[in-house]
Amino acid sequence: MAIPLLRDFDIRGKSVLVREDLNVPLEDGRVTNGARVDAALPTIRHCMAAGARVVLVSHLGRPRPGERDPALSLKPVANALGDALGCTVPLVDDWKNGIDVGWADVALLENIRFEAGETANDPALAQRLAALCDVFVMDAFGTAHRAHASTVGVAEAAPAACAGPLLAAELRALGRVLDDPARPLVAVVGGAKVSTKLAVLESLTRVADLIIVGGGIANTFLLASGVTIGASLAEPDQVDVARRIMSQVEVPLPVDVMTAAAIDAGLSARLRLRGEVESDEMILDVGPETARRLSDIVAKAGTVLFNGPLGVFELDQFGEGTRVLAEAIASADAYSVAGGGDTLAAIEKYGVAEGMSYRSTGGGAFLEYLAGETLPAVAVLEGRTAPYRK
């Protein structure tokens, strides 16, 4: 799709409003994981270096619309940004009458979800945001699936609107996977339920050469194949869906699994061959032979999409399948894209983040894009004029 890009704009002397996804975890007033802050820095530095007045907008958590929850203030994020940028980043709570920002300076609006009309895409709030800028820059892929005032409404109301470098990079990476992948394309889809990723699985059957399933999703596919899964998490009402997917694309099922009587950090994992799971046991990971076979598959892939762990990786005794597969993806020659909170947590845990070709910052947006859905905050940028092009 053709959308205006920030790199093509001359923003010197302009006021720029940048929507970033700074929805980060906090503890005791400090940012505990700054990945999203780090991801936003290149865009912010670009705008500052270009001599623009820079105003950032983001949400944090899910406060009640119109209520200011001190626990969800962006003050810790402003501090983290200031440390990273080497300057003071003021947090602006009252911006009804505009913001005084100097050339090449940056300010951060307080949590935009404190405003009553944000999630309802209120036109009045969108107009207030648009009044802060000459150019609106949508750079928050993680919120691109939400039609909110700070993502869609302002893009419609601003004098000019474009995609920032982070959003553009996300779209390029996913486009490379879905539109013109190097073959074979191997998709790894893990998670608890088929129903939550049904649209993704259905979409991937049309582009993937092979789909590796993990977690509760794999259990449902085993059940659909007539395999005994004991007390494992599964969705019996989705077995017909699983059978349909297996009829359309290759889905290698586990040949061995790791089980326990419950999800408990103190329990030892038991190795079982497929079909030999006891009635009181839960499948919590794939076994070593399955992990080896799956690693061989990704080693020969041209493209790998990684969305979801193979087991309960938070517990070490049920994380070996995910670890082995993540390491295989990281060491493969394939172009690899990893996305989703659990996936990123797993690759960080096993120290393989740098081996991934691209790590997506999106959660829900990542899944909706994979499912072929239109992202409202991307669609609104199509056809926008670019009066400040270089």
Side-chain angles (χ1 to χ4, degrees):
M1 65 184 68
I3 57 177
L5 302 176
L6 175 61
R7 68 187 183 194
D8 297 326
F9 280 57
D10 181 1
I11 56 174
R12 181 169 299 279
K14 307 299 182 199
S15 295
V16 177
L17 180 69
V18 186
R19 179 48 159 108
E20 294 288 1
D21 183 5
L22 303 174
N23 183 29
V24 297
L26 303 177
E27 185 174 328
D28 297 326
R30 297 181 64 84
V31 176
T32 58
N33 185 329
R36 287 180 172 171
V37 172
D38 293 341
L41 292 175
T43 302
I44 300 169
R45 289 188 174 118
H46 170 88
C47 293
M48 294 174 71
R53 295 186 178 98
V54 186
V55 178
L56 307 176
V57 57
S58 178
H59 75 285
L60 178 65
R62 296 183 177 181
R64 292 179 180 273
E67 295 185 12
R68 278 161 162 70
D69 183 348
L72 295 177
S73 171
L74 281 170
K75 182 60 177 175
V77 178
N79 293 337
L81 283 168
D83 291 342
L85 294 169
C87 65
T88 299
V89 177
L91 182 70
V92 183
D93 192 14
D94 184 2
W95 45 273
K96 292 182 177 62
N97 297 316
I99 301 175
D100 184 15
V101 184
W103 303 117
D105 284 343
V106 59
L108 173 65
L109 301 186
E110 182 56 285
N111 191 341
I112 192 62
R113 288 191 181 172
F114 287 175
E115 303 292 335
E118 162 62 359
T119 58
N121 193 14
D122 177 56
L125 177 57
Q127 288 287 350
R128 284 173 50 205
L129 288 167
L132 299 177
C133 68
D134 300 303
V135 181
F136 170 68
V137 181
M138 178 58 189
D139 204 39
F141 178 73
T143 64
H145 60 313
R146 303 299 189 196
H148 291 174
S150 69
T151 60
V152 171
V154 65
E156 294 173 327
C162 61
L166 179 57
L167 175 60
E170 295 272 4
L171 296 176
R172 283 196 303 272
L174 288 173
R176 182 169 172 178
V177 171
L178 299 178
D179 300 333
D180 188 26
R183 299 288 179 179
L185 166 57
V186 176
V188 180
V189 182
K193 297 182 178 181
V194 171
S195 55
T196 61
K197 293 188 177 179
L198 175 58
V200 173
L201 289 165
E202 295 276 21
S203 178
L204 288 174
T205 61
R206 297 188 286 272
V207 295
D209 297 291
L210 184 146
I211 298 178
I212 294 171
V213 290
I217 293 176
N219 296 337
T220 299
F221 276 76
L222 286 169
L223 191 63
S225 300
V227 176
T228 301
I229 62 170
S232 304
L233 173 67
E235 292 178 285
D237 61 333
Q238 296 293 323
V239 295
D240 288 341
V241 172
R243 289 175 183 142
R244 184 173 70 249
I245 290 170
M246 287 189 288
S247 72
Q248 296 172 321
V249 67
E250 183 180 355
V251 181
L253 296 178
V255 295
D256 57 350
V257 295
M258 306 305 296
T259 73
I263 304 176
D264 191 316
L267 292 178
S268 298
R270 308 167 185 168
L271 175 63
R272 301 293 192 206
L273 295 178
R274 181 172 64 193
E276 294 183 357
V277 176
E278 299 292 337
S279 61
D280 64 340
E281 292 180 325
M282 302 174 65
I283 299 172
L284 301 176
D285 192 15
V286 300
E289 177 60 21
T290 299
R292 185 191 67 76
R293 293 186 183 190
L294 298 180
S295 296
D296 288 344
I297 289 171
V298 300
K300 300 172 185 175
T303 306
V304 179
L305 177 69
F306 188 11
N307 177 237
L310 298 184
V312 187
F313 74 95
E314 295 88 349
L315 303 180
D316 289 343
Q317 66 270 43
F318 305 115
E320 279 300 286
T322 301
R323 180 189 66 80
V324 171
L325 182 64
E327 290 178 350
I329 295 171
S331 61
D333 293 332
Y335 179 76
S336 55
V337 174
D342 286 344
T343 308
L344 298 185
I347 65 176
E348 288 292 338
K349 177 176 180 177
Y350 300 123
V352 297
E354 296 306 315
M356 302 294 161
S357 305
Y358 191 83
R359 287 167 283 161
S360 176
T361 60
F366 182 82
L367 292 177
E368 289 196 20
Y369 195 88
L370 292 180
E373 300 291 333
T374 298
L375 303 184
V378 174
V380 72
L381 296 177
E382 294 183 288
R384 283 305 318 258
T385 58
Y388 304 119
R389 284 200 184 278
K390 295 179 180 177

